[in-house]
Amino acid sequence: MTSIPGATPGASIPIESVPNLRDIGGYRTRDGATIRFGHYYRSTDLSKITVDDAPRLADLGLVTVFDLRTHSEREAAPDRVPPSAREVPLDVLADKALRSVPAQMQAVMSDPSIAVSMLGENKALDYFLGSYRDFVTLPSAVASYRTLFTDLAARDNLPALVHCTTGKDRTGWATASLLLLLGVDEDDVFHEYLLTNEQLLPAFASIFDKFTAAGGDPELLKQVLGVRPEYLQAALAQMREKFGSIEGYFADGLGIDVAGQDAIRAHLLEG
């Protein structure tokens, strides 16, 4: 099994056809423990992995791949999962009434007029703030994250990789809430979350160039293809309003009791 080069928390794993791929290992908790390397990875979807890159992904020794995309996203771009791994489809947004942004992402990225119509005048910001609040309370999101974290409480399911389409929102909340449960300081949680802007956006350079050349505002596209602190803050505010704390969210929101939470910590922490 391989992990990221060196031992730097949040360092990108350089597999070009799977951007935004990183290991959450190496972050310290408030009580002095460290998250183990080689146990939990996050990334974009695995539909575009090349023949040359596939063995490098396989070297991670993945046992479980959690796919947080919608059914239509999975059908349009099926994962190419390593032979060692079982895939667990979890449609976080199945119950969300307004799903137009993910469904029309290709049109948004290629046509600035569509982008302005759908996302201008703060519509993008409002959409993502609403989505992040939904991650905490939407029934399909609750069911999906319950399954994810229940599985992570079983050692036999590790190493695991969690992804959605771009690995930034649905995956971002999964990872942020996990890091908080493990006891990582909130500043470090935001640091890990915002690494997506460094590790994902460069992969969209040609899309940004074409969008700008067609008269589009690249800042509008960044709101959609990148992440912002306000997005994660919206989910955290919703979590605290409904459940009081991250432990309350896991216990009362997801139905994962103290024993289950301790099992997750036991598998992912050392020292």
Side-chain angles (χ1 to χ4, degrees), residues 106-222:
Q106 285 302 121
V108 166
M109 291 189 296
S110 61
D111 188 333
S113 65
I114 294 176
V116 170
S117 172
M118 290 184 61
L119 305 172
E121 298 179 345
N122 286 326
K123 291 177 188 173
L125 178 61
D126 291 344
Y127 172 84
F128 282 104
L129 294 179
S131 288
Y132 273 75
R133 288 189 285 265
D134 284 341
F135 294 158
V136 179
T137 55
L138 188 72
S140 57
V142 171
S144 296
Y145 290 123
R146 177 187 296 125
T147 298
L148 167 62
F149 291 118
T150 299
D151 280 12
L152 290 181
R155 190 183 300 275
D156 290 348
N157 291 322
L158 301 171
L161 180 143
V162 179
H163 78 80
C164 44
T165 293
T166 53
K168 68 185 189 72
D169 300 313
R170 289 162 284 188
T171 301
W173 173 243
T175 304
S177 54
L178 174 62
L179 290 173
L180 289 170
L181 181 74
L182 295 175
V184 174
D185 185 80
E186 195 166 299
D187 286 345
D188 287 333
V189 174
F190 272 86
H191 168 78
E192 199 286 331
Y193 171 75
L194 292 169
L195 284 173
T196 284
N197 290 334
E198 299 174 21
Q199 299 183 10
L200 176 67
L201 290 182
F204 292 125
S206 63
I207 292 172
F208 274 97
D209 289 344
K210 290 176 184 174
F211 188 80
T212 304
D217 179 0
E219 291 303 314
L220 183 58
L221 213 50
K222 279 184 183 178

Side-chain angles (χ1 to χ4, degrees), residues 63-78:
V63 172
T64 314
V65 172
F66 295 97
D67 185 344
L68 307 184
R69 296 178 296 169
T70 64
H71 177 73
S72 60
E73 286 175 298
R74 293 196 305 272
E75 278 200 332

Side-chain angles (χ1 to χ4, degrees), residues 40 42 96 131 152 154 188 226-227 233 245 259 266:
Y40 178 106
R42 56 176 296 179
K96 188 171 176 65
S131 288
L152 290 181
D188 287 333
V227 292
Q233 286 163 356
S245 66

Side-chain angles (χ1 to χ4, degrees), residues 29-31 33 35-36 145-155 158 177-184 239 243-270:
T29 67
R30 286 185 295 276
D31 60 4
I35 299 180
R36 300 176 190 271
Y145 290 123
R146 177 187 296 125
T147 298
L148 167 62
F149 291 118
T150 299
D151 280 12
L152 290 181
R155 190 183 300 275
L158 301 171
S177 54
L178 174 62
L179 290 173
L180 289 170
L181 181 74
L182 295 175
V184 174
M239 178 266 289
F243 306 110
S245 66
I246 191 66
E247 292 81 9
Y249 166 63
F250 271 75
D252 301 327
L254 302 180
I256 299 173
D257 61 14
V258 172
Q261 295 176 36
D262 286 344
I264 294 171
R265 294 186 187 101
H267 302 336
L268 292 175
L269 294 176
E270 60 186 358

